[in-house]
C-alpha cells in the first residue's frame, strides 16, 4: 500500500517495524518516529496535546490535513496547466517525476493522475508503465489514454469495438421496434438528437481533438462496412463528423475534406428535403473534386450511403417528380432531379468503390431517366384516369377497370438498377401514405423481385409496415390480405428470418383488423420452426397470447391515427387531358 515511499526518502511501515524490533525503549522510538515523520511545523507540536484533550485521534487529524493539502495540490496542478507560463509543462513534468513512484498509493494516485491528465505529451516511459498496468490504465483520464491509443491501434480498436457493436445493435433494434407508426419511425429523430446517442458521444470524447484517432475510427468504419455491407456504419461516419462539428473541433473538421458537404447534407436531412439552394451547394462540392484528390469520393459515397441521407434524397426525388408532372415537364429536363439521381447513384455505389479502390463516380444509366421514370409516371397517370373515371356521372362512365399489370420497363429496372429500385420502393410507400389501395395492390407483386432483394431489407420493411397501419381497415378484405401477405411478405419469409419478424410485427399491431379466416391461416404459416431465433419465437408467442385475449374480450374499434404526410400533394392544372387528383 505504501510502495514507493522509500524511493523518496520517506519512512514507511517496514521502517517502523525495524526500528521497534531493534530498539531498547519502544516508547521513545515511537515518539522519535512521530517527530521525524510528522508535520514539520514547530508551532504545531505545542497545539497537538489540545487535540488529545478533545479525544481526536492523531490519525484523524493527519488524514484531514493530508486530504486538504492533496485537494489544494490538485487545484494548483490545474491552475499551472491552464496558465501561460512557458515553463508550466516543465514544472508538471518535475512534479510527475517526484510523485510517480507513489502512483500505486490510493491516497496519492489522484494527484499523479491529475498531473498526467494535464501534460500534452506524457514522457513515453511513463505512458508504457501506465499501459502495462491494467489497474492504472483503467483509472487514467481519457486525455492520457488518447496518447497511449494513438501509437497502439490494436488497443484503441479493443476500446472502440464494443461501442461499434452496441451502435449496430441499437439501430437494428429501432428497425424491429414493436411500435408501428408512420409518424414515429426509424427516420423520425432529428440529426442533432441522434448525435446525442451514447455511442456517438463516447466516441467523440475518446477522439477529442486527435486527428490520428479520428482517422483510425474512420478506417475501422470503412473496414467494417466492407466486411458486413451494413449501411449503419455509414450513418455513424456522418454522425461522428457532425458531432465534432457541433463541438467546434476545428482541428479535425478543417482537415476532413467531407466536412462542408456533410454539413450541407445534414441540413437537408433535418428538413427531409433538398431545396434548390442546397442542391447547388452540394453539386459545387461534387464538381469541385480535383484531379489527384478522387479518393475523397470514397468518403463522400459513404456519407451518401447513410440511410438517413438516402431517405432524404429519395423523398426529394418523389417530390420533384410530382412537380414535373404538374408542369408537364420531362424528368431529363430537371437539373435538380439529375443531381438527386447522381447523389443516389454515388451513395448506392459506396461499397463497390471502397472495395475496388477505384475512385470514380458511377455513371447513372440514362435509361433510368428516359425509360424507368416515364414508366413510373405512366402508373401515376393510370391511377389518375381511373380516379377521374369514378367521379364521372354514370352515363359518361366507360367500363374501365383498374389496371393490374405494370409497364415492362418499370419491372425491368426495379430488378436491374439500384437507383431505380430505391425510387420504386419509395413510390410504393408514397402510395401507401395516400391510402391508395388499388395502386398498392398493383405494385406489391412487382416488389417480390427487386435488385439485390432490396424490398426485403429491414429499412423498407420497417417503413412499409408502418405505412400499412394507415390502411388497417382494408385488412378486413380477402383481396387486400392476399396482396400484402400472399402476394408479397410470404413470398420470402421462410428463407428470410427478418421478413418473418416484420410480418409478425405487422400482425401484432393489426391482428384485430385482419380477416379472421386470414389470421388463422397466417398463424399456421408463421409458426416458427425449431431453428428460428428467440426474437421470432417471442413475437409469435406474443401474437398467440393477444389472439387468445381477443377471443375472451372483443377489441374496441380504434380511432384513426392523425397524419402529417410530409409530402404535400401538388394539384395538377386542369386541362382536357389532365385529371385533378394529386400524386
Amino acid at each position: 500500500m505504501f510502495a514507493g515511499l522509500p524511493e523518496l526518502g520517506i519512512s514507511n511501515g517496514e521502517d517502523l517495524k525495524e526500528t521497534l524490533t531493534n530498539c531498547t525503549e519502544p516508547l521513545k522510538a515511537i515518539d522519535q518516529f512521530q517527530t521525524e515523520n510528522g508535520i514539520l511545523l514547530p508551532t504545531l507540536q505545542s497545539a497537538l496535546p489540545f487535540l488529545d484533550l478533545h479525544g481526536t485521534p492523531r490519525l484523524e487529524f493527519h488524514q484531514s490535513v493530508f486530504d486538504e493539502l492533496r485537494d489544494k495540490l490538485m487545484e494548483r496542478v490545474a491552475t499551472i496547466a491552464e496558465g501561460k507560463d512557458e515553463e508550466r509543462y516543465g514544472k508538471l513534468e518535475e512534479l510527475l517525476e517526484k510523485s510517480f513512484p507513489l502512483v500505486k498509493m490510493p491516497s496519492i494516485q489522484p494527484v499523479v493522475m491529475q498531473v498526467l491528465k494535464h501534460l500534452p505529451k506524457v514522457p513515453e516511459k511513463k505512458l508504457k508503465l501506465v499501459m502495462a498496468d491494467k489497474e492504472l490504465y483503467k483509472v487514467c483520464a481519457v486525455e492520457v489514454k488518447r496518447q497511449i491509443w494513438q501509437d497502439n491501434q490494436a488497443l484503441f480498436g479493443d476500446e472502440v469495438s464494443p461501442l461499434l457493436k452496441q451502435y449496430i445493435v441499437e439501430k437494428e433494434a429501432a428497425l424491429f421496434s414493436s411500435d408501428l407508426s408512420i409518424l414515429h419511425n426509424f427516420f423520425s429523430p432529428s440529426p442533432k438528437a441522434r448525435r446525442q446517442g451514447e455511442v456517438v458521444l463516447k466516441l467523440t470524447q475518446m477522439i477529442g481533438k486527435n486527428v490520428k484517432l479520428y482517422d483510425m475510427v474512420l478506417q475501422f468504419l470503412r473496414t467494417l462496412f466492407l466486411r458486413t455491407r451494413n449501411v449503419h456504419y455509414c450513418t455513424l461516419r456522418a454522425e461522428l463528423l457532425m458531432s465534432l462539428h457541433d463541438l467546434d473541433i476545428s482541428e479535425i473538421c478543417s482537415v476532413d475534406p467531407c466536412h462542408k458537404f456533410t454539413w450541407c447534407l445534414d441540413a437537408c436531412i433535418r428538413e427531409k428535403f433538398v431545396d434548390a439552394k442546397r442542391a447547388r451547394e452540394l453539386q459545387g462540392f461534387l464538381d469541385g473534386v480535383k484531379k489527384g484528390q478522387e479518393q475523397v469520393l470514397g468518403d463522400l459515397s459513404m456519407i451518401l450511403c447513410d440511410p438517413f441521407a438516402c431517405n432524404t434524397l429519395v423523398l426529394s426525388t418523389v417530390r420533384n417528380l410530382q412537380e414535373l408532372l404538374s408542369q408537364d415537364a420531362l424528368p431529363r429536363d430537371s437539373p435538380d432531379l439529375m443531381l438527386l439521381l447522381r447523389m443516389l447513384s454515388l451513395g448506392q455505389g459506396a461499397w463497390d468503390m471502397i472495395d475496388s479502390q477505384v475512385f470514380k463516380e458511377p455513371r447513372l444509366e440514362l435509361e433510368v431517366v428516359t425509360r424507368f421514370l416515364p414508366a413510373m409516371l405512366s402508373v401515376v397517370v393510370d391511377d389518375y384516369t381511373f380516379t377521374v373515371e369514378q367521379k364521372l356521372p354514370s352515363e359518361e362512365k366507360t367500363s374501365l377497370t383498374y389496371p393490374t399489370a405494370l409497364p415492362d420497363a418499370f419491372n425491368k429496372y426495379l430488378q436491374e438498377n439500384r437507383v431505380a429500385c430505391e425510387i420504386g420502393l419509395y413510390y410504393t410507400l408514397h402510395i401507401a401514405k395516400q391510402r391508395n389501395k388499388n395502386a398498392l395492390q398493383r405494385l406489391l407483386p412487382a416488389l417480390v423481385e427487386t435488385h439485390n432483394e432490396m424490398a426485403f431489407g429491414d429499412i423498407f420493411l420497417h417503413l412499409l409496415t408502418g405505412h400499412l397501419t394507415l390502411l388497417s381497415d382494408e385488412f378486413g378484405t380477402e383481396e387486400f390480405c392476399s396482396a400484402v401477405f400472399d402476394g408479397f411478405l410470404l413470398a420470402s419469409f421462410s428463407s428470410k428470418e427478418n421478413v418473418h419478424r416484420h410480418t409478425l410485427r405487422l400482425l401484432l399491431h393489426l391482428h384485430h383488423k385482419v380477416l379472421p379466416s386470414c389470421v388463422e391461416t397466417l398463424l399456421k404459416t408463421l409458426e416458427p420452426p425449431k431453428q428460428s431465433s428467440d426474437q421470432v419465437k417471442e413475437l409469435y408467442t406474443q401474437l398467440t397470447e393477444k389472439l387468445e385475449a381477443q377471443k375472451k374480450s372483443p377489441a374496441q374499434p380504434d380511432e384513426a391515427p392523425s397524419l402529417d404526410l410530409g409530402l404535400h400533394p401538388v394539384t395538377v392544372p386542369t386541362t382536357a387531358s389532365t385529371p385533378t387528383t394529386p400524386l
Side-chain angles (χ1 to χ4, degrees), residues 176 455-458 461 465 485 488-508 521-541 543-544:
F176 287 105
F456 295 117
D458 289 328
L461 290 176
T465 49
F485 295 111
F488 177 57
L489 290 171
L490 298 185
S492 75
F493 90 100
S494 58
S495 60
K496 294 183 182 302
E497 187 168 276
N498 69 312
V499 181
H500 200 158
R501 281 179 75 180
H502 284 293
T503 308
L504 288 169
R505 284 175 63 243
L506 181 64
L507 274 175
L508 260 172
T521 311
L522 286 168
L523 208 56
K524 288 173 189 166
T525 309
L526 294 169
E527 186 172 358
K530 284 181 182 175
Q531 69 269 24
S532 291
S533 68
D534 291 341
Q535 292 98 324
V536 170
K537 289 174 183 170
E538 174 63 25
L539 282 170
Y540 186 79
T541 305
L543 179 61
T544 51

Side-chain angles (χ1 to χ4, degrees), residues 462-499:
H462 167 89
L463 293 173
L464 181 66
T465 49
H467 283 58
L468 286 172
T469 60
L470 298 174
L471 291 143
S472 56
D473 291 335
E474 303 296 345
F475 281 93
T477 68
E478 193 171 335
E479 184 188 21
F480 192 70
C481 282
S482 177
V484 173
F485 295 111
D486 301 330
F488 177 57
L489 290 171
L490 298 185
S492 75
F493 90 100
S494 58
S495 60
K496 294 183 182 302
E497 187 168 276
N498 69 312
V499 181

Side-chain angles (χ1 to χ4, degrees), residues 414-455:
L414 212 57
Q415 293 169 24
E416 295 177 6
N417 186 279
R418 277 186 286 214
V419 174
C421 186
E422 197 76 64
I423 296 168
L425 294 179
Y426 268 78
Y427 175 63
T428 307
L429 296 175
H430 180 66
I431 287 298
K433 229 177 206 178
Q434 296 192 319
R435 308 181 192 199
N436 188 335
K437 180 188 78 167
N438 289 327
L440 190 60
Q441 287 178 177
R442 184 184 181 190
L443 285 164
L444 282 175
L447 304 189
V448 174
E449 289 185 45
T450 50
H451 186 275
N452 279 349
E453 299 187 310
M454 284 165 69

Side-chain angles (χ1 to χ4, degrees), residues 222 294-303 350 353-354 359:
R222 284 185 209 107
E294 292 91 350
Q295 202 164 343
V296 73
L297 286 172
D299 276 322
L300 288 176
S301 68
M302 256 189 101
I303 300 284
M353 189 185 292
I354 296 167
F359 300 104

Side-chain angles (χ1 to χ4, degrees), residues 263-276:
W263 185 8
C264 183
L265 189 61
D266 187 73
C268 299
I269 293 170
R270 190 178 64 238
E271 306 294 332
K272 290 189 170 64
F273 181 62
V274 182
D275 61 39

